[in-house]
């Protein structure tokens, strides 16, 4: 199991935070362009899922899977968007994202008055805590690459 | 800065400390602005800035999802008061259309030990709450308006906060490529 990378988007689609751990393939475009591309796709998938669902889409879009990786998506009611790429064996990545929201984003961004909510996160403490949380997660086993 | 104690169990503090800190804030604003209307406005603004952050705390703590209707919202607001102020206001006076309700406070930790002097009869002492509600709801795509109709500090029997649903805010679409 392994964790590839993480994106956090604000409600307006701005990339608040990006981190990567085991990413072998680079997109070949700048981080800004990549973020735009990613957000656009998520936005489309979300509306696609909501429109096409034959039943009432309660939770909406949760994840998608390719032959190589799984993209997990967690959106709070305040429209913060947490996106995590892992390999296909990883389970419960959603819980990890909720934990990230509860224990790291809330504690070190929301409760830090020096962190503006709609701007990319600069806080070193936040970076350290994100890294800590992911590295102690059972999903994080880099050697399986 | 050690924060090991703040996992998720809310740190309990004595409400009197909070009451007095808020009192000091209002007293300072009155000194700074001299005009009571400006103080009301300023309190609302400060509340708004608190609300837009407080909502994240609320969501993370309760794990609640989107509201399906405004009654649902009312109950969540009520539980928010329970979490952050330790009081449970009653929800009353629904408008027939279901887009307006009142929160009635029998007790209010903000107004303990408070009496309004005569020259402050227009002061909405708890106006910070209206800002908090507006800010918090705005972050979950809801525009509301909210104001005090009764106030125990002005010799009403209860404090009544009226909340009105204005409109749903739409999700932002991604910026165009061009």
């Amino acid at each position: 199991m392994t964790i590839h990378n993480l994106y956090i988007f604000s409600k307006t689609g701005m990339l608040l935070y990006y981190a990567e751990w085991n990413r072998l393939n680079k997109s070949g475009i700048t981080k800004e362009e990549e973020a735009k591309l990613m957000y656009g796709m998520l936005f489309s998938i979300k509306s696609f899922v909501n429109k096409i669902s034959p039943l009432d889409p309660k939770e909406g879009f949760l994840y998608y899977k390719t032959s190589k990786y799984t993209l997990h998506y967690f959106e709070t009611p305040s429209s913060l968007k947490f996106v995590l790429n892992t390999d296909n064996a990883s389970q419960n990545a959603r819980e990890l994202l909720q934990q990230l929201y509860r224990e790291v984003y809330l504690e070190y961004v929301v409760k830090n008055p020096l962190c503006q909510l709609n701007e990319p996160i600069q806080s070193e403490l936040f970076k350290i805590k994100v890294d800590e949380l992911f590295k102690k997660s059972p999903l994080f086993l880099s050697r399986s690459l | 800065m050690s924060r090991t104690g703040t996992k998720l169990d809310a740190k309990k503090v004595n409400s009197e400390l909070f009451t007095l800190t808020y009192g000091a804030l209002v007293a300072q604003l009155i000194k700074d602005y001299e005009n009571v209307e400006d103080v009301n406005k300023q309190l609302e603004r400060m509340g708004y800035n608190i609300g837009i952050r407080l909502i994240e705390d609320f969501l993370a703590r309760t794990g609640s999802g989107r509201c399906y209707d405004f009654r649902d919202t009312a109950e969540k607001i009520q539980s928010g008061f329970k979490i952050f102020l330790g009081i449970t206001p009653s929800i009353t006076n629904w408008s027939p259309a279901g887009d307006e309700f009142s929160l009635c406070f029998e007790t209010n930790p903000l107004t303990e030990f408070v009496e309004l002097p005569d020259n402050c009869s227009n002061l909405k002492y708890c106006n910070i709450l209206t800002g908090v509600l507006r800010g918090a709801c705005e972050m979950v795509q809801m525009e509301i308006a909210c104001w005090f109709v009764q106030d125990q500090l002005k010799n009403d029997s209860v404090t009544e906060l009226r909340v009105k649903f204005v409109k749903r805010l739409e999700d932002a679409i991604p910026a165009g490529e061009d």
Side-chain angles (χ1 to χ4, degrees):
Chain A
M1 290 193 278
T2 188
I3 289 174
H4 298 304
N5 54 358
L6 166 79
Y7 303 79
I8 303 177
F9 291 100
S10 76
K11 67 169 6 165
T12 52
M14 177 182 282
L15 182 67
L16 296 181
Y17 189 69
Y18 174 77
E20 67 181 42
W21 289 275
N22 301 299
R23 181 173 182 176
L24 295 181
N25 182 36
K26 305 278 181 240
S27 58
I29 48 178
T30 64
K31 204 171 91 183
E32 288 72 29
E33 280 177 78
E34 186 186 296
K36 244 191 216 170
L37 214 55
M38 178 57 103
Y39 186 81
M41 180 199 66
L42 292 170
F43 190 88
S44 308
I45 291 190
K46 236 176 60 181
S47 69
F48 172 78
V49 165
N50 286 331
K51 285 200 181 86
I52 226 75
S53 167
L55 305 168
D56 179 23
K58 284 224 162 53
E59 296 212 69
F61 170 52
L62 300 175
Y63 69 92
Y64 76 67
K65 199 180 232 180
T66 73
S67 58
K68 293 278 186 204
Y69 75 102
T70 305
L71 177 143
H72 304 266
Y73 180 72
F74 167 59
E75 183 175 340
T76 70
S78 54
S79 293
L80 267 173
K81 298 159 179 81
F82 295 85
V83 181
L84 186 69
N85 287 317
T86 68
D87 67 341
N88 287 336
S90 298
Q91 303 273 317
N92 293 333
R94 209 178 160 70
E95 248 162 62
L96 182 64
L97 288 180
Q98 279 165 345
Q99 204 181 354
L100 171 71
Y101 174 52
R102 251 191 347 249
E103 291 173 15
V104 184
Y105 183 80
L106 179 69
E107 291 297 327
Y108 300 100
V109 176
V110 178
K111 292 189 184 173
N112 179 355
L114 295 179
C115 278
Q116 293 300 316
L117 292 183
N118 247 322
E119 279 168 29
I121 299 164
Q122 307 288 350
S123 160
E124 276 305 316
L125 189 58
F126 176 79
K127 284 177 200 173
I128 294 167
K129 294 289 171 182
V130 171
D131 214 47
E132 248 172 43
L133 177 74
F134 279 67
K135 284 189 171 150
K136 75 166 200 252
S137 157
L139 302 185
F140 193 92
L141 271 180
S142 52
R143 60 179 184 278
S144 69
L145 272 176
Chain B
M1 202 166 35
S2 144
R3 293 220 194 157
T4 43
T6 56
K7 270 279 150 29
L8 249 199
D9 54 319
K11 244 198 231 141
K12 303 274 185 203
V13 295
N14 191 326
S15 72
E16 288 183 12
L17 175 65
F18 173 62
T19 306
L20 296 175
T21 314
Y22 185 68
L25 170 73
V26 177
Q28 186 63 46
L29 285 176
I30 290 172
K31 213 179 280 170
D32 287 352
Y33 286 93
E34 288 164 356
N35 176 354
V36 172
E37 286 306 318
D38 290 344
V39 175
N40 290 340
K41 228 178 274 168
Q42 199 61 23
L43 282 173
E44 209 270 351
R45 251 194 59 199
M46 293 168 105
Y48 175 82
N49 287 323
I50 294 173
I52 59 176
R53 284 175 188 257
L54 201 62
I55 184 69
E56 303 288 358
D57 195 342
F58 176 80
L59 293 171
R61 239 181 248 244
T62 59
S64 53
R66 287 268 157 89
C67 294
Y68 290 104
D69 56 20
F70 203 45
R71 279 172 200 273
D72 201 6
T73 311
E75 274 162 32
K76 289 203 167 121
I77 290 175
Q78 191 185 33
S79 75
F81 274 103
K82 177 83 198 122
I83 293 172
F84 296 113
L85 288 179
I87 50 172
T88 311
S90 50
I91 303 169
T92 54
N93 296 340
W94 278 97
S95 66
D99 65 342
E100 228 177 282
F101 66 91
S102 291
L103 290 162
C104 287
F105 304 82
E106 305 265 318
T107 55
N108 182 348
L110 285 180
T111 56
E112 234 172 299
F113 320 123
V114 176
E115 273 175 44
L116 287 187
D118 295 335
N119 59 347
C120 289
S121 57
N122 282 330
L123 177 69
K124 295 172 186 145
Y125 186 82
C126 299
N127 216 29
I128 199 155
L129 294 179
T130 62
V132 171
L133 288 186
R134 185 171 69 88
C137 288
E138 189 181 300
M139 295 306 282
V140 287
Q141 281 84 46
M142 238 187 326
E143 190 177 324
I144 59 160
C146 157
W147 63 95
F148 281 100
V149 285
Q150 291 191 72
D151 192 339
Q152 277 165 326
L153 292 176
K154 289 164 191 165
N155 296 326
D156 295 313
S157 59
V158 290
T159 299
E160 181 182 347
L161 183 58
R162 193 91 181 133
V163 183
K164 182 181 168 47
F165 176 80
V166 179
K167 66 168 190 241
R168 275 197 68 80
L169 303 165
E170 290 305 321
D171 239 4
I173 48 168
E177 275 297 290
D178 35 49

